[in-house]
Amino acid sequence: MNKTYLFLADGFEEIEAIATLDLLRRAGVNAVTVSINETLAVKGAHGVEVAADELIADVNLEEANMLITPGGMPGSSNLAANAKLCEMLSAQNAREGKIAAICAAPAVVLAPLGILEGHDATCYPGFEGALKAGGAYHKNQRVVVDRNIITANGPSSAIPFALSIIEALKGQDAADKVAAGILL
């Protein structure tokens, strides 16, 4: 278990995905971007196209120490519509593996799968109803860490979200080192 998978769908929120990826790699996390498309090319919500590292068919869940879903629309809806990703997230949660989601993704991707049931969580404003419908306890905070789940509320929270992931994977010292390196 040495890979952190960050899943990308067309319409993903670029800041949330790229800032998170950048900070994880600065911390020495083996962060791998995964396209849920048939090709490695994925186009963000604001027209930024990136080439993912792997296709979803190549993901080995046994190697996963964390699964991350960035938000954005329709990116979150596209992630939620991918049966393979939903199976992976459910399996990761069943084994109490680490999962992180930001923006609309906690409400649109995780909540319908029951992953947030009984957890404190946050999401992008306006999606609270879906979060609560999935059994989560909405917290009006930028980032919420509850057991194996990390959620954040939107693009401006991408840096604290990524630092929380680093802390969960590598400890507070690693997160502090990255924060200092970016002058936070």
Side-chain angles (χ1 to χ4, degrees):
M1 295 191 3
N2 64 358
K3 289 186 179 180
T4 294
Y5 292 108
L6 190 150
F7 294 90
L8 299 174
D10 286 337
F12 72 93
E13 172 53 58
E14 292 95 339
I15 291 172
E16 296 163 357
I18 303 303
T20 299
L21 177 67
D22 178 280
L23 295 183
L24 292 175
R25 289 186 176 172
R26 287 174 192 243
V29 172
N30 186 11
V32 178
T33 55
V34 179
S35 170
I36 69 162
N37 296 340
E38 293 182 11
T39 67
L40 294 175
V42 188
K43 192 170 188 176
H46 302 97
V48 177
E49 190 168 312
V50 299
D53 300 315
E54 293 184 8
L55 297 173
I56 193 166
D58 300 325
V59 171
N60 180 353
L61 196 57
E62 292 178 13
E63 296 178 340
N65 55 10
M66 182 175 280
L67 305 181
I68 303 171
T69 56
M73 291 302 275
S76 293
S77 296
N78 290 336
L79 290 173
N82 186 281
K84 181 151 180 72
L85 175 59
C86 291
E87 290 170 17
M88 288 179 176
L89 289 164
S90 294
Q92 179 80 347
N93 188 57
R95 67 179 186 174
E96 297 179 358
K98 293 176 176 63
I99 298 172
I102 184 170
C103 194
V108 175
V109 181
L110 302 186
L113 296 172
I115 290 172
L116 297 178
E117 187 169 344
H119 282 78
D120 290 343
T122 191
C123 64
Y124 194 80
F127 288 89
E128 299 91 347
L131 197 73
K132 292 175 186 175
Y137 303 107
H138 178 257
K139 301 295 178 188
N140 189 21
Q141 299 172 3
R142 290 171 65 88
V143 178
V144 175
V145 179
D146 188 356
R147 295 167 273 171
N148 61 317
I149 309 289
I150 299 171
T151 55
N153 66 359
S156 72
S157 298
I159 290 174
F161 174 68
L163 293 172
S164 293
I165 293 170
I166 293 166
E167 181 181 349
L169 294 173
K170 299 196 79 171
Q172 185 65 53
D173 288 345
D176 288 347
K177 184 177 179 183
V178 171
I182 62 167
L183 306 179
L184 188 61

